[in-house]
Amino acid sequence: MNDTDQIEVTTEVLEGTTIIKPIGEIDLSRAPSLRHHLNEAQAAKPGTLVIDLAEVPYMDSSGVATLVEAMQIARRNKSRIILCSMQERVKSIFEIARLDAVFTIVENREIALET
Amino acid sequence: MNDTDQIEVTTEVLEGTTIIKPIGEIDLSRAPSLRHHLNEAQAAKPGTLVIDLAEVPYMDSSGVATLVEAMQIARRNKSRIILCSMQERVKSIFEIARLDAVFTIVENREIALET
Amino acid sequence: MAEMSRPPDVKLELFSQPRLLAGARALISNIAQRIGFSEIFCGQISLAIDEALCNIINHGYDKRTDGKIMLSIWAIENEPPSLRIVIEDQARQVDPATIQSRNLEDVRPGGLGVYLINEIMDEVKYEKREGGGMRLTMVKLLPTRENCGSVSAANTSQGLGQTHE
Amino acid sequence: MAEMSRPPDVKLELFSQPRLLAGARALISNIAQRIGFSEIFCGQISLAIDEALCNIINHGYDKRTDGKIMLSIWAIENEPPSLRIVIEDQARQVDPATIQSRNLEDVRPGGLGVYLINEIMDEVKYEKREGGGMRLTMVKLLPTRENCGSVSAANTSQGLGQTHE
Ligand SMILES: Nc1ncnc2c1ncn2[C@@H]1O[C@H](COP(=O)(O)OP(=O)(O)O)[C@@H](O)[C@H]1O
Ligand SMILES: Nc1ncnc2c1ncn2[C@@H]1O[C@H](COP(=O)(O)OP(=O)(O)O)[C@@H](O)[C@H]1O
């Protein structure tokens, strides 16, 4: 992996909830880096993992696959994943892939934390 | 010229001052369309022509040449041209070409109208 | 699918490297925009090309980074306005019939690429190339007011609704 | 200027059409960004390429739209990090010495392209191609903290000052 294949991520750990906010396009070159960050966050078994996608202008099926994988891990851990603040262009791929009904997708971070 | 080679422009005519606001990248394909709009505005011989570049994220030397041409016309007409609201990326080309001292370039439209 | 008689407006050749996908997307999206596709459509077209390139890297070249990928792009402004993209590789040849999208009901990682390509593009054809490798031909027509050929125009999603103007 | 022994990471071929410049810029800017160039530098590199392509269209092909232009791009991540771009055409051959920037004091429309290319890029070389047409080789090194090789680092302009990080 090149340096530029690392995705920038900010992580906040609250009481029982972890918020992960990746920054930048998520495609085949950066999905492995995102997977690494998600695995790390999920290793601590938070009750809820919020993935804030406000700063992700683009995602391809490699990124979606990484999120589906994280959801499967969450199910095994009996924890939840909430996606929030999705940009229109990214929402469009979830809709085409009919994953908008499979994931819990909310408008913004505030709603995610109340959910 | 193709349809997409037409640059979108809004024009406001005030007392003695015309404000032209082109929208989009100005390169070799769109400079002729910008020239057309500037010529039209200058035909009415306004005392001041303000060119608001707030919505121009990119300009190459074809765009710059068009503005230099407009300045020469303004000089012949004994009128003024003021450039305002230039984005950083566009300012950079004026600086490299040392045209930042040749043109009157101001921060925003308000200052342009007071100048 | 009619063959194009004139040469492509743009040709792009790249190695099978994930780091080069973003550049290819930027080029395609920009050309699509020039033809008149809305921002959401440009994003979807970029996605379809991205998915096709990912599949060539992952399945065709088994993630090797030294394989060649050639794109030919026609920016068709009339007759009717459309974008035509042919992607060729020198990778493994497979029976086009085996390149299929899976059942989406079964939610699991992966297996969305071919589905997305088919949903987004108006014409999609996989073939074996004579000299080895595969060829994928894709066409996307510019939607008109009468012909709102968007992906999910059928399932009236809100997100995509905005693109029909 | 050392020759590159490895093949280019990306090749782009386009017709001498102004409407295709934006796509070429988008590709180059994206590749530059991947190497680590800041946004302002990506913009400047795109500008240099744009100017070179404009000159080929205007002077090489006399504004004909059916001329071929070939770009070869090396995204060099080490040794040191840099972007190398070779632009070739099949247009008029001119003596490289005649491709010169004019005196900027004399403010008039035009005559900035070659100046901008020279200011922006670290290495610039024009040559006649063996088979006909011209070849322009350009290299831009990634500025480091020690080596702030920005355009107008000398004339301490404010706009560009922000890019040195
Ligand atoms: N370019 C290709 N070369 C060979 N096989 C391919 C190619 N593209 C797709 N396939 C086949 O089609 C299947 C479905 O692809 P896709 O829907 O993108 O899902 P995924 O890549 O996640 O398996 C792949 O698993 C593969 O067997
Ligand atoms: N690709 C080229 N082929 C032939 N002549 C060129 C080429 N590029 C530049 N030149 C020559 O160099 C001169 C300076 O170019 P430039 O600085 O871009 O200004 P302009 O294009 O506005 O004349 C041109 O007028 C032309 O004579």
Side-chain angles (χ1 to χ4, degrees), chain B residues 5-19:
Chain B
D5 291 344
Q6 303 298 334
I7 194 157
E8 204 184 316
V9 161
T10 64
T11 304
E12 275 175 64
V13 181
L14 311 176
E15 179 82 36
T17 300
T18 298
I19 308 173

PDB file of all heavy atoms in Angstrom, chain B residues 5-19:
ATOM      1  N   ASP B   5     -19.462  24.701 -25.003  1.00  0.00           N
ATOM      2  CA  ASP B   5     -18.393  25.686 -25.088  1.00  0.00           C
ATOM      3  C   ASP B   5     -18.912  27.081 -24.767  1.00  0.00           C
ATOM      4  O   ASP B   5     -18.149  28.031 -24.694  1.00  0.00           O
ATOM      5  CB  ASP B   5     -17.761  25.688 -26.494  1.00  0.00           C
ATOM      6  CG  ASP B   5     -16.980  24.419 -26.746  1.00  0.00           C
ATOM      7  OD1 ASP B   5     -16.677  23.720 -25.769  1.00  0.00           O
ATOM      8  OD2 ASP B   5     -16.678  24.142 -27.916  1.00  0.00           O
ATOM      9  N   GLN B   6     -20.221  27.220 -24.617  1.00  0.00           N
ATOM     10  CA  GLN B   6     -20.805  28.491 -24.213  1.00  0.00           C
ATOM     11  C   GLN B   6     -20.587  28.643 -22.731  1.00  0.00           C
ATOM     12  O   GLN B   6     -20.871  27.743 -21.961  1.00  0.00           O
ATOM     13  CB  GLN B   6     -22.317  28.509 -24.481  1.00  0.00           C
ATOM     14  CG  GLN B   6     -22.699  28.237 -25.920  1.00  0.00           C
ATOM     15  CD  GLN B   6     -22.150  29.276 -26.880  1.00  0.00           C
ATOM     16  OE1 GLN B   6     -21.901  30.406 -26.492  1.00  0.00           O
ATOM     17  NE2 GLN B   6     -21.932  28.888 -28.129  1.00  0.00           N
ATOM     18  N   ILE B   7     -20.073  29.804 -22.324  1.00  0.00           N
ATOM     19  CA  ILE B   7     -19.923  30.026 -20.890  1.00  0.00           C
ATOM     20  C   ILE B   7     -21.181  30.689 -20.367  1.00  0.00           C
ATOM     21  O   ILE B   7     -21.774  31.549 -21.021  1.00  0.00           O
ATOM     22  CB  ILE B   7     -18.658  30.844 -20.566  1.00  0.00           C
ATOM     23  CG1 ILE B   7     -18.356  30.742 -19.080  1.00  0.00           C
ATOM     24  CG2 ILE B   7     -18.781  32.300 -21.018  1.00  0.00           C
ATOM     25  CD1 ILE B   7     -16.914  31.014 -18.760  1.00  0.00           C
ATOM     26  N   GLU B   8     -21.608  30.247 -19.191  1.00  0.00           N
ATOM     27  CA  GLU B   8     -22.773  30.853 -18.567  1.00  0.00           C
ATOM     28  C   GLU B   8     -22.324  32.171 -17.958  1.00  0.00           C
ATOM     29  O   GLU B   8     -21.281  32.238 -17.314  1.00  0.00           O
ATOM     30  CB  GLU B   8     -23.280  29.913 -17.467  1.00  0.00           C
ATOM     31  CG  GLU B   8     -24.733  30.074 -17.125  1.00  0.00           C
ATOM     32  CD  GLU B   8     -25.106  29.173 -15.958  1.00  0.00           C
ATOM     33  OE1 GLU B   8     -24.696  28.003 -15.936  1.00  0.00           O
ATOM     34  OE2 GLU B   8     -25.796  29.681 -15.065  1.00  0.00           O
ATOM     35  N   VAL B   9     -23.083  33.213 -18.176  1.00  0.00           N
ATOM     36  CA  VAL B   9     -22.706  34.550 -17.698  1.00  0.00           C
ATOM     37  C   VAL B   9     -23.950  35.254 -17.184  1.00  0.00           C
ATOM     38  O   VAL B   9     -25.000  35.187 -17.807  1.00  0.00           O
ATOM     39  CB  VAL B   9     -22.097  35.384 -18.860  1.00  0.00           C
ATOM     40  CG1 VAL B   9     -22.120  36.870 -18.551  1.00  0.00           C
ATOM     41  CG2 VAL B   9     -20.676  34.943 -19.161  1.00  0.00           C
ATOM     42  N   THR B  10     -23.858  35.916 -16.015  1.00  0.00           N
ATOM     43  CA  THR B  10     -24.949  36.812 -15.631  1.00  0.00           C
ATOM     44  C   THR B  10     -24.430  38.240 -15.743  1.00  0.00           C
ATOM     45  O   THR B  10     -23.288  38.517 -15.402  1.00  0.00           O
ATOM     46  CB  THR B  10     -25.450  36.567 -14.188  1.00  0.00           C
ATOM     47  OG1 THR B  10     -24.399  36.864 -13.288  1.00  0.00           O
ATOM     48  CG2 THR B  10     -25.886  35.128 -13.984  1.00  0.00           C
ATOM     49  N   THR B  11     -25.268  39.114 -16.269  1.00  0.00           N
ATOM     50  CA  THR B  11     -24.874  40.505 -16.485  1.00  0.00           C
ATOM     51  C   THR B  11     -25.844  41.425 -15.744  1.00  0.00           C
ATOM     52  O   THR B  11     -27.056  41.245 -15.831  1.00  0.00           O
ATOM     53  CB  THR B  11     -24.911  40.835 -18.000  1.00  0.00           C
ATOM     54  OG1 THR B  11     -24.086  39.905 -18.692  1.00  0.00           O
ATOM     55  CG2 THR B  11     -24.404  42.245 -18.261  1.00  0.00           C
ATOM     56  N   GLU B  12     -25.295  42.382 -14.985  1.00  0.00           N
ATOM     57  CA  GLU B  12     -26.137  43.377 -14.320  1.00  0.00           C
ATOM     58  C   GLU B  12     -25.703  44.746 -14.794  1.00  0.00           C
ATOM     59  O   GLU B  12     -24.517  45.059 -14.770  1.00  0.00           O
ATOM     60  CB  GLU B  12     -25.915  43.359 -12.805  1.00  0.00           C
ATOM     61  CG  GLU B  12     -26.728  42.329 -12.065  1.00  0.00           C
ATOM     62  CD  GLU B  12     -26.326  42.318 -10.598  1.00  0.00           C
ATOM     63  OE1 GLU B  12     -26.532  43.344  -9.907  1.00  0.00           O
ATOM     64  OE2 GLU B  12     -25.787  41.298 -10.158  1.00  0.00           O
ATOM     65  N   VAL B  13     -26.660  45.558 -15.233  1.00  0.00           N
ATOM     66  CA  VAL B  13     -26.313  46.897 -15.688  1.00  0.00           C
ATOM     67  C   VAL B  13     -26.837  47.908 -14.669  1.00  0.00           C
ATOM     68  O   VAL B  13     -28.040  48.021 -14.454  1.00  0.00           O
ATOM     69  CB  VAL B  13     -26.901  47.178 -17.087  1.00  0.00           C
ATOM     70  CG1 VAL B  13     -26.510  48.582 -17.549  1.00  0.00           C
ATOM     71  CG2 VAL B  13     -26.408  46.143 -18.076  1.00  0.00           C
ATOM     72  N   LEU B  14     -25.905  48.594 -13.996  1.00  0.00           N
ATOM     73  CA  LEU B  14     -26.275  49.636 -13.040  1.00  0.00           C
ATOM     74  C   LEU B  14     -25.973  50.986 -13.685  1.00  0.00           C
ATOM     75  O   LEU B  14     -25.497  51.048 -14.820  1.00  0.00           O
ATOM     76  CB  LEU B  14     -25.458  49.497 -11.749  1.00  0.00           C
ATOM     77  CG  LEU B  14     -25.394  48.099 -11.122  1.00  0.00           C
ATOM     78  CD1 LEU B  14     -24.481  48.099  -9.913  1.00  0.00           C
ATOM     79  CD2 LEU B  14     -26.797  47.648 -10.726  1.00  0.00           C
ATOM     80  N   GLU B  15     -26.194  52.035 -12.963  1.00  0.00           N
ATOM     81  CA  GLU B  15     -25.873  53.409 -13.387  1.00  0.00           C
ATOM     82  C   GLU B  15     -24.372  53.511 -13.695  1.00  0.00           C
ATOM     83  O   GLU B  15     -23.551  53.567 -12.778  1.00  0.00           O
ATOM     84  CB  GLU B  15     -26.247  54.345 -12.220  1.00  0.00           C
ATOM     85  CG  GLU B  15     -25.981  55.805 -12.412  1.00  0.00           C
ATOM     86  CD  GLU B  15     -27.108  56.481 -13.200  1.00  0.00           C
ATOM     87  OE1 GLU B  15     -28.279  56.089 -13.013  1.00  0.00           O
ATOM     88  OE2 GLU B  15     -26.781  57.364 -14.011  1.00  0.00           O
ATOM     89  N   GLY B  16     -24.006  53.519 -14.968  1.00  0.00           N
ATOM     90  CA  GLY B  16     -22.595  53.722 -15.331  1.00  0.00           C
ATOM     91  C   GLY B  16     -21.677  52.532 -15.111  1.00  0.00           C
ATOM     92  O   GLY B  16     -20.511  52.562 -15.471  1.00  0.00           O
ATOM     93  N   THR B  17     -22.201  51.481 -14.483  1.00  0.00           N
ATOM     94  CA  THR B  17     -21.369  50.307 -14.199  1.00  0.00           C
ATOM     95  C   THR B  17     -22.052  49.035 -14.679  1.00  0.00           C
ATOM     96  O   THR B  17     -23.248  48.844 -14.459  1.00  0.00           O
ATOM     97  CB  THR B  17     -21.116  50.174 -12.672  1.00  0.00           C
ATOM     98  OG1 THR B  17     -20.455  51.342 -12.213  1.00  0.00           O
ATOM     99  CG2 THR B  17     -20.270  48.948 -12.359  1.00  0.00           C
ATOM    100  N   THR B  18     -21.302  48.185 -15.349  1.00  0.00           N
ATOM    101  CA  THR B  18     -21.834  46.882 -15.731  1.00  0.00           C
ATOM    102  C   THR B  18     -21.058  45.808 -14.968  1.00  0.00           C
ATOM    103  O   THR B  18     -19.834  45.890 -14.859  1.00  0.00           O
ATOM    104  CB  THR B  18     -21.690  46.666 -17.248  1.00  0.00           C
ATOM    105  OG1 THR B  18     -22.459  47.661 -17.929  1.00  0.00           O
ATOM    106  CG2 THR B  18     -22.188  45.289 -17.655  1.00  0.00           C
ATOM    107  N   ILE B  19     -21.791  44.845 -14.414  1.00  0.00           N
ATOM    108  CA  ILE B  19     -21.132  43.733 -13.718  1.00  0.00           C
ATOM    109  C   ILE B  19     -21.363  42.461 -14.520  1.00  0.00           C
ATOM    110  O   ILE B  19     -22.503  42.112 -14.833  1.00  0.00           O
ATOM    111  CB  ILE B  19     -21.703  43.529 -12.300  1.00  0.00           C
ATOM    112  CG1 ILE B  19     -21.694  44.851 -11.531  1.00  0.00           C
ATOM    113  CG2 ILE B  19     -20.905  42.458 -11.552  1.00  0.00           C
ATOM    114  CD1 ILE B  19     -22.403  44.763 -10.193  1.00  0.00           C
TER     115      ILE B  19
END
